């Protein structure tokens, strides 16, 4: 029983099965002293620890949140379940995140590019910047889909958790559903798209054109070096004419939305030094140290 318990605890803490096995070998004084091999440890994890059903897992997930709230009444969570009792939407923030928001809630980076788990739930994290320029986590979410209604549910939930105070600035990746939900839930907040994501798409969107390396270079120049809104408009139109791109739909859509991604339209607002959702992504790489796609919900939330 004690070996099983250790395997379960180590798995939950993100310790690799090989390391767990080595610790048993060291404690026993050699491989020969053990009546099982490393493969048995792996099999036990797959069979016993991870083989829970989605419904059981969701139930444990909810119970864990209730226990957290009993420990600290300032722990906040909301869940919405599907008819089969699996998770549709979940949001949670601990007391520390809620306290941090009061000081560091001016600008938020929110990102859902992290798909963590075996149920294909999308994980979103709300991240702020503290007075040392470090990222600080201000809430986490899991969503079955990325539709407007799901984002509305989530943003309203997050605002309730944070005392109804909308941030001044909100950074996201380029997502139409998110944009619509933000307009509805936080009309006074300045919304900004992550410029890095947009610039990263240029090669794949424009590589069908002759001289696409020059196109990329010129587009970057126009975006970063226009010193007024008027000069950006002029430079952009010249750029389209010079390269014969006037009928490119991707570029004309980007131009329509220029006020939420082009620096000259946004940099007069306070952004705590952020122009991209990189902070949310670094939070995701932090999660990656502890969990894999096979992790259960309960392992993930712990």
């Amino acid at each position: 029983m004690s070996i099983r318990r250790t395997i379960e605890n180590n798995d939950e803490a993100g310790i690799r099965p090989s390391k767990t096995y080595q610790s048993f070998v060291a404690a026993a004084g050699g491989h020969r002293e053990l009546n099982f091999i490393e493969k048995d440890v792996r099999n036990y994890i797959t069979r016993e620890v991870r083989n829970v059903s989605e419904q059981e897992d969701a139930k444990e997930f909810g119970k864990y949140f209730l226990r957290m709230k009993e420990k600290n009444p300032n722990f906040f969570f909301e869940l919405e379940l599907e008819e089969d009792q699996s998770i549709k939407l979940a949001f949670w923030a601990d007391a520390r995140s809620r306290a941090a928001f009061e000081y560091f809630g001016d600008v938020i980076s929110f990102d859902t590019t992290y798909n963590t788990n075996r149920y294909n739930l999308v994980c979103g994290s709300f991240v702020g910047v503290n007075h040392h320029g470090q990222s600080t986590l201000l809430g986490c979410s899991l969503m079955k889909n990325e539709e407007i209604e799901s984002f509305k549910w989530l943003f309203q939930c997050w605002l309730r958790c944070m005392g109804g105070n909308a941030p001044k600035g909100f950074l996201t990746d380029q997502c139409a559903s998110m944009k619509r939900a933000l307009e509805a839930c936080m009309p006074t907040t300045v919304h900004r798209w992550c410029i890095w994501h947009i610039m990263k798409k240029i090669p794949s969107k424009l590589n069908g054109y002759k001289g696409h390396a020059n196109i990329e270079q010129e587009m970057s120049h126009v975006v970063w070096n226009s010193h007024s809104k008027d000069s950006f408009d002029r430079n952009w139109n010249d750029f389209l004419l010079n390269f014969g791109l006037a009928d490119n739909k991707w570029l004309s859509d980007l131009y329509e939305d220029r006020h939420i991604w082009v620096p000259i339209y946004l940099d007069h607002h306070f952004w705590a030094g952020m122009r991209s959702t990189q902070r949310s992504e670094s939070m995701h790489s932090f999660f990656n140290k502890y969990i894999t796609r096979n992790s259960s919900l309960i392992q993930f939330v712990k």
Side-chain angles (χ1 to χ4, degrees), residues 96-105 108 138 158 162 165-167:
R96 217 170 103 189
S97 294
R98 297 178 83 182
F101 176 81
E102 288 191 31
Y103 299 101
F104 315 121
I108 303 300
L138 300 172
W158 183 72
M162 300 306 173
N165 300 317

Side-chain angles (χ1 to χ4, degrees), residues 3 5 15 41 49 53 69 82 99 106 117 119 131 133 136 141 159 163 166 171 199 213 218-219 240-241:
I3 284 175
R5 193 74 220 122
I15 295 166
V41 174
V49 182
S53 79
K69 200 161 179 62
E82 297 280 20
D106 286 336
N117 45 58
Y119 312 124
H131 54 312
T136 178
S141 62
L159 282 173
L171 260 152
M199 301 310 270
E218 186 56 28
M219 182 170 162
L240 294 183
L241 288 172

Side-chain angles (χ1 to χ4, degrees), residues 143 145-152 177-178 181:
M143 304 161 73
N145 60 55
E146 295 187 75
E147 289 164 10
I148 296 171
E149 289 311 310
S150 299
F151 283 122
K152 276 188 184 171
S177 318
M178 230 185 267

Side-chain angles (χ1 to χ4, degrees), residues 15-206:
I15 295 166
R16 294 200 175 98
S18 54
K19 289 257 173 74
T20 298
Y21 181 68
Q22 288 308 320
S23 70
F24 292 137
V25 171
H31 291 269
R32 288 181 181 163
E33 307 304 316
L34 288 178
N35 60 357
F36 59 92
I37 57 173
E38 188 182 317
K39 193 162 191 271
D40 295 323
V41 174
R42 291 180 184 281
N43 288 345
Y44 179 75
I45 289 169
T46 311
R47 196 178 61 246
E48 300 294 330
V49 182
R50 294 184 175 162
N51 194 22
V52 293
S53 79
E54 192 172 347
Q55 287 74 11
E56 278 171 46
D57 203 1
K59 208 162 147 187
E60 283 305 309
F61 185 74
K63 279 186 192 165
Y64 178 76
F65 280 159
L66 286 168
R67 286 202 298 279
M68 292 297 281
K69 200 161 179 62
E70 274 168 26
K71 273 191 205 166
N72 187 332
N74 273 343
F75 183 87
F76 182 101
F77 75 94
E78 281 194 25
L79 291 177
E80 196 165 295
L81 301 178
E82 297 280 20
E83 282 174 16
D84 66 357
Q85 299 305 295
S86 64
I87 284 177
K88 182 182 180 185
L89 294 158
F91 168 77
W92 67 100
D94 61 12
R96 217 170 103 189
S97 294
R98 297 178 83 182
F101 176 81
E102 288 191 31
Y103 299 101
F104 315 121
D106 286 336
V107 182
I108 303 300
S109 166
F110 177 74
D111 183 78
T112 57
T113 52
Y114 189 64
N115 194 340
T116 48
N117 45 58
R118 52 173 121 171
Y119 312 124
N120 281 323
L121 288 164
V122 179
C123 171
S125 53
F126 295 86
V127 178
V129 182
N130 71 13
H131 54 312
H132 295 298
Q134 297 159 326
S135 299
T136 178
L137 189 62
L138 300 172
C140 263
S141 62
L142 290 171
M143 304 161 73
K144 261 277 164 65
N145 60 55
E146 295 187 75
E147 289 164 10
I148 296 171
E149 289 311 310
S150 299
F151 283 122
K152 276 188 184 171
W153 180 93
L154 176 60
F155 293 151
Q156 282 161 352
C157 222
W158 183 72
L159 282 173
R160 271 198 301 283
C161 170
M162 300 306 173
N165 300 317
K168 293 188 177 79
F170 206 95
L171 260 152
T172 71
D173 57 2
Q174 191 184 0
C175 166
S177 318
M178 230 185 267
K179 179 174 177 260
R180 298 271 295 279
L182 268 172
E183 284 164 2
C185 302
M186 304 182 208
T188 59
T189 298
V190 180
H191 179 201
R192 181 175 201 156
W193 277 344
C194 167
I195 192 165
W196 183 76
H197 274 123
I198 291 172
M199 301 310 270
K200 204 175 73 163
K201 287 178 189 170
I202 301 174
S204 64
K205 295 286 185 183
L206 301 177

